[in-house]
Amino acid sequence: AQKITQTQPGMFVQEKEAVTLDCTYDTSDPSYGLFWYKQPSSGEMIFLIYQGSYDQQNATEGRYSLNFQKARKSANLVISASQLGDSAMYFCAMREGSGGGNKLTFGTGTQLKVEL
Amino acid sequence: GAVVSQHPSWVICKSGTSVKIECRSLDFQATTMFWYRQFPKQSLMLMATSNEGSKATYEQGVEKDKFLINHASLTLSTLTVTSAHPEDSSFYICSASSEAGGRNEQFFGPGTRLTVL
């Protein structure tokens, strides 16, 4: 079974609109972390937001928020007020356990295109 | 803070030659570094986990004799692609983990694009 599932290979959104990128995960470890990264065409991986499994509140970082529904094992990324510069590939990732040496498992990604 | 560099950013080599890629954590000590491979329009695939002073742990299906990883210090890990062939052409990304801030976050390098002719 896939540990991280992103079901949207591509998404379009109009500038200034909000968009939700879906991510579901599968783990039996009670301690885990969920990450979202943005990868523009240059290839660099840009960290966007983090949610720990024990965090009570949904994470927010500027225009990014994470809709964490633990019982449903979903961690959707919401981007508000989309900008043209948001056009990129977005990856959801999970780290099982709490150690920094624990590996990340990535989803297949969602290509987001922001249109005028 | 938490900057990771990679060198070179791109490399073109002939089939049969070896290529070394360096990954450095510039402003923090990284006990663990990770090496990923990414094909066009695909996700990142973990190749190996590298801990300072010990042998790397390779993921299933990754040839350890072909992809040599050395983590000689807390700020440097190297990936050597030995006897490279065209199918090894890919985007290679490293990351280094830091336990600062409680997130145990991985910080990624800018990647190295390898083309084998």
Side-chain angles (χ1 to χ4, degrees), chain A residues 50, chain B residues 98-105 107:
Chain A
Y50 166 83
Chain B
S98 167
E99 301 197 358
R103 289 199 292 238
N104 297 333
E105 184 179 339
F107 298 94

Side-chain angles (χ1 to χ4, degrees), chain A residues 35 37 39 41-45 47 50 61 89 91 95 98-104 106-108, chain B residues 32 34 36 38 41-44 46 49 59 91 93 97 99 102-106 108-110 113:
Chain A
F35 300 79
Y37 291 90
Q39 187 179 42
S41 56
S42 60
E44 61 184 312
M45 293 291 285
F47 166 77
Y50 166 83
E61 294 276 357
M89 181 70 90
F91 290 102
R95 184 198 62 233
S98 58
N102 295 355
K103 62 185 181 182
L104 287 175
F106 285 86
T108 51
Chain B
T32 305
F34 303 85
Y36 297 86
Q38 186 181 30
K41 300 195 183 301
Q42 292 189 23
S43 187
L44 279 71
L46 180 66
T49 302
E59 294 298 299
F91 190 57
I93 309 175
S97 68
E99 301 197 358
R103 289 199 292 238
N104 297 333
E105 184 179 339
Q106 285 187 29
F108 285 83
R113 203 164 296 279

Side-chain angles (χ1 to χ4, degrees), chain B residues 8 10-14 17 19 113-117:
Chain B
W10 59 271
V11 57
I12 301 173
C13 69
K14 291 183 178 180
T17 60
V19 175
R113 203 164 296 279
L114 170 65
T115 302
V116 184
L117 301 176

Side-chain angles (χ1 to χ4, degrees), chain B residues 24-117:
Chain B
R24 293 182 184 272
S25 57
L26 299 184
D27 51 3
F28 67 100
Q29 293 186 329
T31 52
T32 305
M33 289 184 171
F34 303 85
W35 287 95
Y36 297 86
R37 183 176 184 177
Q38 186 181 30
F39 292 107
K41 300 195 183 301
Q42 292 189 23
S43 187
L44 279 71
M45 183 193 79
L46 180 66
M47 300 175 68
T49 302
S50 167
N51 290 294
E52 184 263 340
S54 62
K55 290 184 178 180
T57 301
Y58 290 81
E59 294 298 299
Q60 191 172 8
V62 177
E63 300 175 62
K64 61 181 68 176
D65 293 333
K66 181 165 189 62
F67 299 100
L68 300 179
I69 292 171
N70 183 275
H71 193 161
S73 76
L74 286 172
T75 59
L76 173 65
S77 177
T78 60
L79 167 68
T80 301
V81 183
T82 62
S83 187
H85 288 94
E87 58 266 29
D88 299 324
S89 298
S90 189
F91 190 57
Y92 293 87
I93 309 175
C94 73
S95 70
S97 68
S98 167
E99 301 197 358
R103 289 199 292 238
N104 297 333
E105 184 179 339
Q106 285 187 29
F107 298 94
F108 285 83
T112 296
R113 203 164 296 279
L114 170 65
T115 302
V116 184
L117 301 176

